[in-house]
mmCIF file of all heavy atoms in Angstrom:
data_model
loop_
_atom_site.group_PDB
_atom_site.id
_atom_site.type_symbol
_atom_site.label_atom_id
_atom_site.label_comp_id
_atom_site.label_asym_id
_atom_site.label_seq_id
_atom_site.Cartn_x
_atom_site.Cartn_y
_atom_site.Cartn_z
ATOM 1 N N GLY A 185 0.781 -1.223 0.000
ATOM 2 C CA GLY A 185 0.000 0.000 0.000
ATOM 3 C C GLY A 185 0.814 1.275 0.000
ATOM 4 O O GLY A 185 0.278 2.355 -0.226
ATOM 5 N N ASP A 186 2.132 1.184 0.262
ATOM 6 C CA ASP A 186 2.986 2.369 0.254
ATOM 7 C C ASP A 186 3.187 2.858 -1.181
ATOM 8 O O ASP A 186 3.097 2.077 -2.136
ATOM 9 C CB ASP A 186 4.345 2.072 0.875
ATOM 10 C CG ASP A 186 4.283 1.813 2.369
ATOM 11 O OD1 ASP A 186 3.222 2.031 2.988
ATOM 12 O OD2 ASP A 186 5.306 1.385 2.933
ATOM 13 N N ILE A 187 3.501 4.160 -1.316
ATOM 14 C CA ILE A 187 3.776 4.734 -2.634
ATOM 15 C C ILE A 187 5.135 5.421 -2.601
ATOM 16 O O ILE A 187 5.399 6.247 -1.727
ATOM 17 C CB ILE A 187 2.691 5.747 -3.059
ATOM 18 C CG1 ILE A 187 1.366 5.028 -3.294
ATOM 19 C CG2 ILE A 187 3.119 6.506 -4.313
ATOM 20 C CD1 ILE A 187 0.247 5.915 -3.753
ATOM 21 N N GLY A 188 5.983 5.074 -3.553
ATOM 22 C CA GLY A 188 7.281 5.710 -3.704
ATOM 23 C C GLY A 188 7.437 6.210 -5.117
ATOM 24 O O GLY A 188 6.522 6.123 -5.929
ATOM 25 N N GLY A 189 8.602 6.750 -5.410
ATOM 26 C CA GLY A 189 8.883 7.171 -6.770
ATOM 27 C C GLY A 189 8.464 8.588 -7.073
ATOM 28 O O GLY A 189 8.618 9.480 -6.256
ATOM 29 N N ALA A 190 7.913 8.795 -8.262
ATOM 30 C CA ALA A 190 7.706 10.123 -8.834
ATOM 31 C C ALA A 190 6.576 10.946 -8.221
ATOM 32 O O ALA A 190 6.431 12.116 -8.544
ATOM 33 C CB ALA A 190 7.456 9.980 -10.331
ATOM 34 N N ALA A 191 5.786 10.401 -7.330
ATOM 35 C CA ALA A 191 4.613 11.118 -6.809
ATOM 36 C C ALA A 191 4.967 12.353 -5.987
ATOM 37 O O ALA A 191 4.203 13.323 -5.957
ATOM 38 C CB ALA A 191 3.745 10.175 -5.983
ATOM 39 N N ALA A 192 6.138 12.344 -5.320
ATOM 40 C CA ALA A 192 6.503 13.468 -4.458
ATOM 41 C C ALA A 192 7.993 13.442 -4.167
ATOM 42 O O ALA A 192 8.624 12.394 -4.233
ATOM 43 C CB ALA A 192 5.725 13.383 -3.142
ATOM 44 N N TYR A 193 8.540 14.633 -3.838
ATOM 45 C CA TYR A 193 9.929 14.704 -3.400
ATOM 46 C C TYR A 193 10.062 15.758 -2.310
ATOM 47 O O TYR A 193 9.168 16.598 -2.130
ATOM 48 C CB TYR A 193 10.890 14.968 -4.569
ATOM 49 C CG TYR A 193 10.730 16.318 -5.236
ATOM 50 C CD1 TYR A 193 11.394 17.446 -4.747
ATOM 51 C CD2 TYR A 193 9.944 16.470 -6.367
ATOM 52 C CE1 TYR A 193 11.259 18.676 -5.361
ATOM 53 C CE2 TYR A 193 9.801 17.697 -6.982
ATOM 54 C CZ TYR A 193 10.469 18.796 -6.482
ATOM 55 O OH TYR A 193 10.325 20.015 -7.095
ATOM 56 N N ALA A 194 11.175 15.707 -1.581
ATOM 57 C CA ALA A 194 11.408 16.635 -0.473
ATOM 58 C C ALA A 194 11.732 18.022 -1.017
ATOM 59 O O ALA A 194 12.716 18.202 -1.727
ATOM 60 C CB ALA A 194 12.538 16.130 0.414
ATOM 61 N N PHE A 195 10.911 18.996 -0.687
ATOM 62 C CA PHE A 195 11.128 20.373 -1.109
ATOM 63 C C PHE A 195 12.178 21.038 -0.226
ATOM 64 O O PHE A 195 12.876 21.944 -0.647
ATOM 65 C CB PHE A 195 9.801 21.136 -1.048
ATOM 66 C CG PHE A 195 9.833 22.456 -1.745
ATOM 67 C CD1 PHE A 195 9.846 22.531 -3.128
ATOM 68 C CD2 PHE A 195 9.840 23.637 -1.021
ATOM 69 C CE1 PHE A 195 9.868 23.753 -3.775
ATOM 70 C CE2 PHE A 195 9.863 24.868 -1.658
ATOM 71 C CZ PHE A 195 9.876 24.927 -3.040
ATOM 72 N N ALA A 196 12.272 20.562 1.008
ATOM 73 C CA ALA A 196 13.265 21.050 1.964
ATOM 74 C C ALA A 196 13.766 19.860 2.771
ATOM 75 O O ALA A 196 13.081 18.836 2.867
ATOM 76 C CB ALA A 196 12.654 22.100 2.891
ATOM 77 N N ALA A 197 14.940 19.995 3.355
ATOM 78 C CA ALA A 197 15.497 18.928 4.186
ATOM 79 C C ALA A 197 14.772 18.870 5.526
ATOM 80 O O ALA A 197 14.231 19.875 6.003
ATOM 81 C CB ALA A 197 16.980 19.176 4.418
ATOM 82 N N ALA A 198 14.754 17.691 6.141
ATOM 83 C CA ALA A 198 14.187 17.505 7.482
ATOM 84 C C ALA A 198 14.946 16.365 8.146
ATOM 85 O O ALA A 198 15.076 15.287 7.580
ATOM 86 C CB ALA A 198 12.698 17.189 7.408
ATOM 87 N N GLY A 199 15.457 16.621 9.329
ATOM 88 C CA GLY A 199 16.293 15.644 10.009
ATOM 89 C C GLY A 199 15.561 14.818 11.041
ATOM 90 O O GLY A 199 14.340 14.929 11.228
ATOM 91 N N ASN A 200 16.340 13.992 11.725
ATOM 92 C CA ASN A 200 15.839 13.153 12.805
ATOM 93 C C ASN A 200 15.182 14.044 13.859
ATOM 94 O O ASN A 200 15.751 15.042 14.262
ATOM 95 C CB ASN A 200 16.999 12.358 13.396
ATOM 96 C CG ASN A 200 16.559 11.344 14.419
ATOM 97 O OD1 ASN A 200 15.374 11.152 14.663
ATOM 98 N ND2 ASN A 200 17.526 10.682 15.021
ATOM 99 N N GLY A 201 14.000 13.698 14.287
ATOM 100 C CA GLY A 201 13.268 14.456 15.289
ATOM 101 C C GLY A 201 12.195 15.358 14.712
ATOM 102 O O GLY A 201 11.253 15.725 15.398
ATOM 103 N N ALA A 202 12.316 15.725 13.438
ATOM 104 C CA ALA A 202 11.289 16.553 12.796
ATOM 105 C C ALA A 202 10.042 15.708 12.558
ATOM 106 O O ALA A 202 10.138 14.550 12.147
ATOM 107 C CB ALA A 202 11.801 17.109 11.476
ATOM 108 N N THR A 203 8.890 16.278 12.806
ATOM 109 C CA THR A 203 7.628 15.553 12.623
ATOM 110 C C THR A 203 6.904 15.937 11.346
ATOM 111 O O THR A 203 5.925 15.300 10.971
ATOM 112 C CB THR A 203 6.688 15.781 13.820
ATOM 113 O OG1 THR A 203 6.434 17.179 13.932
ATOM 114 C CG2 THR A 203 7.307 15.252 15.116
ATOM 115 N N THR A 204 7.384 16.998 10.675
ATOM 116 C CA THR A 204 6.779 17.425 9.412
ATOM 117 C C THR A 204 7.875 17.669 8.384
ATOM 118 O O THR A 204 9.056 17.780 8.708
ATOM 119 C CB THR A 204 5.935 18.708 9.571
ATOM 120 O OG1 THR A 204 6.770 19.769 10.019
ATOM 121 C CG2 THR A 204 4.769 18.489 10.528
ATOM 122 N N LEU A 205 7.433 17.788 7.139
ATOM 123 C CA LEU A 205 8.349 17.929 6.014
ATOM 124 C C LEU A 205 7.633 18.724 4.928
ATOM 125 O O LEU A 205 6.444 18.518 4.689
ATOM 126 C CB LEU A 205 8.699 16.530 5.500
ATOM 127 C CG LEU A 205 9.460 16.382 4.198
ATOM 128 C CD1 LEU A 205 10.895 16.862 4.365
ATOM 129 C CD2 LEU A 205 9.446 14.921 3.760
ATOM 130 N N GLN A 206 8.356 19.621 4.255
ATOM 131 C CA GLN A 206 7.799 20.294 3.080
ATOM 132 C C GLN A 206 7.988 19.376 1.880
ATOM 133 O O GLN A 206 9.111 18.975 1.567
ATOM 134 C CB GLN A 206 8.483 21.629 2.835
ATOM 135 C CG GLN A 206 8.130 22.679 3.848
ATOM 136 C CD GLN A 206 8.766 24.007 3.495
ATOM 137 O OE1 GLN A 206 9.123 24.275 2.355
ATOM 138 N NE2 GLN A 206 8.903 24.852 4.498
ATOM 139 N N VAL A 207 6.876 19.036 1.248
ATOM 140 C CA VAL A 207 6.881 18.078 0.147
ATOM 141 C C VAL A 207 6.301 18.719 -1.099
ATOM 142 O O VAL A 207 5.278 19.414 -1.035
ATOM 143 C CB VAL A 207 6.063 16.819 0.515
ATOM 144 C CG1 VAL A 207 5.852 15.914 -0.685
ATOM 145 C CG2 VAL A 207 6.745 16.055 1.634
ATOM 146 N N LYS A 208 6.949 18.492 -2.235
ATOM 147 C CA LYS A 208 6.431 18.897 -3.529
ATOM 148 C C LYS A 208 5.700 17.715 -4.141
ATOM 149 O O LYS A 208 6.277 16.663 -4.398
ATOM 150 C CB LYS A 208 7.586 19.324 -4.448
ATOM 151 C CG LYS A 208 7.219 19.466 -5.920
ATOM 152 C CD LYS A 208 6.331 20.630 -6.185
ATOM 153 C CE LYS A 208 6.205 20.831 -7.710
ATOM 154 N NZ LYS A 208 4.953 21.274 -8.134
#
């Protein structure tokens, strides 16, 4: 059920401990 590949990429970096991420 997971989705990888071309659907999205990291718009900004996010390290260990971060609970959110900017995604394109």
Side-chain angles (χ1 to χ4, degrees):
D186 291 350
I187 293 182
Y193 66 86
F195 193 73
N200 186 4
T203 59
T204 61
L205 170 70
Q206 289 184 22
V207 170
K208 167 70 171 145

